[in-house]
Amino acid sequence: MSQDNFPDWFPNSHVENAETIRTYLISVRGGAPFLSGADCRLLIQWLDDQVPVPTILTTIDKVSAKRRQKRVRSRLSLSICKGTLNQLIGKSKPKPTSIEQSGLEEWLQALQFMRVSDELQEAHHALTASVQHLIASSSSDHNQKASELISACRSFQDRAWECAFDDLVELQDAAEAELSDLKSLLRGQAWKDAVEEVMRDHVRQRYPIVNAQAVWNALNQ
C-alpha cells in the first residue's frame, strides 16, 4: 500500500487502514483527496488505540446524516467526527453469529429488491454478490467482514456518483439552493467544496441502505 496520500511522518504500519478511511471520507464529502495534518494526527491516535475501522466509517455516515439536517459552514473532517465516534465506541459490541447472519440476510434481501438504473446494474450485481459471499464465509472476524462489506458499498456509491454525470447541473442547482443561507459566508474553494459535499450526499441518498451505517445496523441489530 502506497504512502503517497499521507505525510512522511505517518506510520507505515497504519497506512492500509488509513487509506480505507481516507477513501471513504473522500467518497462522502468529495473535494481534495488528502487529509489535513490535524486529521492525520487524530487518525494515528485512533489506530494506535485500535479503534475498529468499521466504527470510524460508520461514524462518518452518522455525522454526514447530522449535517444533512442542518447544513453547516465547516467541511466534513475526521476531527468533526471525534465526539460522535466516542459515543459509538461503547456501542460496538460483538454479536452472536446467528444474529449477525440474520441481520446480513435481511439487508441482502433489501439490497436485492433495491431499484437501480441500467447503468448501475453491473455495480448492483457486484454489491449483492459480495454480500452473499461474505454471508457464506466461515470467517468469524467481525471487523474484517464489516470492512469488506463497507468497501463493497463504497465501490457501488462511487459508481453511482460517476453515473450521475448527466444530472450534475440539476444536482448543483439543488445543492446551491440548499446552501443559499451560507453563500455569503463561504468563498472560493470553500463554497465549491460545500456544494460538492451536498451533491454527493444527494446521490448517496438515492441508495440509503448502501453505506457503512447500513452495514453497522445489519451486524448489530
Side-chain angles (χ1 to χ4, degrees):
M1 178 68 68
S2 172
Q3 195 163 348
D4 293 345
N5 292 319
F6 300 95
D8 293 340
W9 44 265
F10 200 93
N12 189 62
S13 58
H14 286 332
V15 167
E16 183 173 0
N17 285 334
E19 179 65 6
T20 298
I21 295 163
R22 183 196 68 81
T23 54
Y24 195 84
L25 177 65
I26 301 308
S27 178
V28 172
R29 78 174 186 196
F34 303 105
L35 300 182
S36 67
D39 272 3
C40 284
R41 288 188 287 273
L42 182 58
L43 188 50
I44 291 171
Q45 178 185 326
W46 288 345
L47 295 176
D48 279 347
D49 291 342
Q50 298 184 332
V51 177
V53 171
T55 304
I56 298 173
L57 303 182
T58 302
T59 299
I60 292 172
D61 275 346
K62 284 185 172 293
V63 173
S64 178
K66 291 178 182 177
R67 292 162 68 86
R68 188 178 308 128
Q69 296 171 6
K70 183 179 180 181
R71 298 301 183 184
V72 295
R73 293 173 57 184
S74 59
R75 186 185 185 202
L76 179 60
S77 66
L78 296 182
S79 298
I80 289 174
C81 295
K82 184 176 180 179
T84 302
L85 177 66
N86 290 337
Q87 295 173 6
L88 194 59
I89 287 174
K91 300 178 182 180
S92 181
K93 299 177 181 178
K95 303 295 181 183
T97 301
S98 59
I99 296 178
E100 174 184 301
Q101 290 293 99
S102 174
L104 286 176
E105 287 167 358
E106 289 181 14
W107 180 51
L108 173 60
Q109 186 175 35
L111 289 174
Q112 289 172 327
F113 281 100
M114 184 176 71
R115 297 182 61 135
V116 302
S117 65
D118 291 342
E119 291 179 306
L120 279 172
Q121 289 293 338
E122 185 176 344
H124 184 219
H125 176 74
L127 173 61
T128 56
S130 294
V131 178
Q132 287 175 320
H133 172 74
L134 286 164
I135 288 176
S137 169
S138 60
S139 172
S140 60
D141 189 329
H142 186 88
N143 286 324
Q144 180 61 33
K145 182 177 290 187
S147 293
E148 292 184 28
L149 290 167
I150 294 170
S151 177
C153 288
R154 181 184 60 77
S155 294
F156 176 89
Q157 290 286 9
D158 284 348
R159 180 58 182 154
W161 174 250
E162 292 172 0
C163 291
F165 181 81
D166 292 339
D167 302 332
L168 287 185
V169 173
E170 181 181 343
L171 286 166
Q172 182 173 337
D173 288 345
E176 289 181 348
E178 192 169 330
L179 293 169
S180 58
D181 291 344
L182 298 177
K183 191 167 186 178
S184 62
L185 303 174
L186 298 172
R187 291 286 187 272
Q189 192 60 47
W191 171 251
K192 293 179 181 178
D193 288 344
V195 169
E196 183 181 351
E197 183 178 330
V198 175
M199 291 170 65
R200 284 178 174 268
D201 183 55
H202 286 175
V203 173
R204 287 170 61 81
Q205 285 311 299
R206 294 174 179 176
Y207 310 100
I209 61 171
V210 187
N211 53 40
Q213 180 66 70
V215 174
W216 173 277
N217 293 341
L219 291 173
N220 294 278
Q221 71 168 13

